[in-house]
Amino acid sequence: MKLLVMGPPGAGKGSQSQKLIADYELTHISTGEMFRRSYERGEEIGKKAMAYINEGNLVDDDITNEIVRKRLLKPDAARCFLLDGYPRTVTQAEALDDMLKEMSSSLTAVINIVVDKDIILERMVGRRVCKSCGHTYHKTFKPPKVEGVCDQCGGTLYQRVDDQLESVRNRLKIYETKTKPIIDYYKGRGLLININGMQSFEAVYKDIQKALRGLR
Ligand code: AP5
Ligand code: MG
């Protein structure tokens, strides 16, 4: 299965992806996560990307397409993958089409998680992320067993710089102008599945599973 998970920042893409990759045995490709890891490793590309990210802006299309191309060509992505947060512009969607054509591959479905703005703000401000494994928590909606410590790996939890209010507002504006148009792009190709993201984690996941039934 080759999936794409999209939706506004804070919609729950990462949270749902963590379950999907485990249950459907998919290779997780999150551009946001790749940029953050690259920055932590001190790489030039990570430093460039983080300058955009901390302000809540999108990373340049060429940098983003290149990092995805390299990742998709690795053997573990040949059979099945889940793209989380890519593409985010029509230019990226077109670049992805070209990459998949080259690989004689195609997407199975595009899951679009729909969430209202006021809910998003609450989710972002309370989010905490594991420094070591990237697992996501929420202070109220999904607290770890021990405060500040990751349940999965014991790593330290932190708040992302781009989860501060100003940056979140900017990300939402950019989502409206640059990312929303690709909903129509995939609708036109008959790949789009809209999922109501304004429910519990479990209810959202059940709806996704239902929508994926019979697809491979
Ligand atoms: P990225 O890391 O992808 O951030 P994002 O898209 O803004 O999405 P988030 O990770 O913030 O939210 P999410 O939908 O994954 O929600 P989550 O599951 O964590 O990208 C970061 C930055 O990198 C971008 O802003 C951009 O600058 C750059 N970038 C990345 N990809 C790019 C691209 N293709 N092109 C250019 N630039 C790119 O959930 C959020 C919170 O809500 C969590 O605390 C969670 O516990 C909670 N929550 C989730 N679901 C529920 C629920 N059902 N009920 C209650 N709480 C919930
Ligand atoms: Mg995410």
Side-chain angles (χ1 to χ4, degrees):
M1 196 175 290
K2 288 163 183 163
L3 295 181
L4 201 156
V5 177
M6 62 176 292
K13 301 183 292 294
S15 302
Q16 298 301 326
S17 296
Q18 281 163 0
K19 283 171 170 262
L20 285 164
I21 55 162
D23 290 349
Y24 294 80
E25 296 180 9
L26 309 173
T27 296
H28 190 198
I29 305 178
S30 157
T31 36
E33 204 53 39
M34 284 199 287
F35 289 138
R36 285 187 286 275
R37 298 277 161 206
S38 169
Y39 176 77
E40 282 158 17
R41 288 195 296 268
E43 294 167 5
E44 218 35 59
I45 196 164
K47 286 184 202 159
K48 268 192 204 160
M50 208 43 88
Y52 294 96
I53 292 174
N54 287 344
E55 296 294 319
N57 291 318
L58 287 184
V59 178
D60 177 79
D61 280 339
D62 289 341
I63 297 178
T64 309
N65 290 333
E66 191 49 31
I67 202 170
V68 172
R69 171 182 295 277
K70 281 193 183 141
R71 186 63 191 86
L72 278 177
L73 287 172
K74 289 194 178 165
D76 65 346
R79 207 174 48 83
C80 46
F81 59 75
L82 183 157
L83 279 165
D84 163 2
Y86 177 92
R88 266 179 224 230
T89 63
V90 171
T91 308
Q92 291 180 15
E94 288 167 353
L96 175 63
D97 274 350
D98 290 343
M99 290 176 216
L100 292 173
K101 231 180 254 163
E102 270 174 48
M103 296 163 68
S104 308
S105 182
S106 58
L107 293 172
T108 310
V110 175
I111 296 163
N112 180 37
I113 306 180
V114 182
V115 177
D116 289 344
K117 224 184 238 176
D118 47 340
I119 295 181
I120 288 174
L121 290 176
E122 198 183 3
R123 286 188 183 176
M124 308 288 263
V125 174
R127 173 164 55 187
R128 298 293 179 272
V129 184
C130 175
K131 254 199 168 101
S132 310
C133 72
H135 206 86
T136 301
Y137 299 86
H138 191 281
K139 278 182 81 170
T140 317
F141 307 136
K142 195 184 171 194
K145 290 188 186 106
V146 179
E147 203 188 318
V149 180
C150 178
D151 293 348
Q152 310 283 317
C153 74
T156 308
L157 305 186
Y158 78 109
Q159 181 175 31
R160 279 167 43 179
V161 176
D162 61 338
D163 276 352
Q164 281 154 23
L165 205 58
E166 243 351 88
S167 179
V168 173
R169 287 213 176 100
N170 196 30
R171 283 157 73 192
L172 282 170
K173 249 190 248 160
I174 290 173
Y175 171 77
E176 289 294 325
T177 54
K178 300 209 167 151
T179 307
K180 246 188 169 172
I182 65 175
I183 293 177
D184 284 338
Y185 185 90
Y186 288 116
K187 199 174 177 183
R189 284 163 174 70
L191 289 169
L192 193 77
I193 298 171
N194 283 316
I195 298 287
N196 174 12
M198 294 170 283
Q199 321 176 67
S200 69
F201 288 96
E202 295 74 21
V204 175
Y205 191 61
K206 265 199 189 136
D207 282 357
I208 295 176
Q209 280 183 310
K210 215 198 269 170
L212 292 180
R213 218 165 274 156
L215 298 178
R216 30 181 82 246

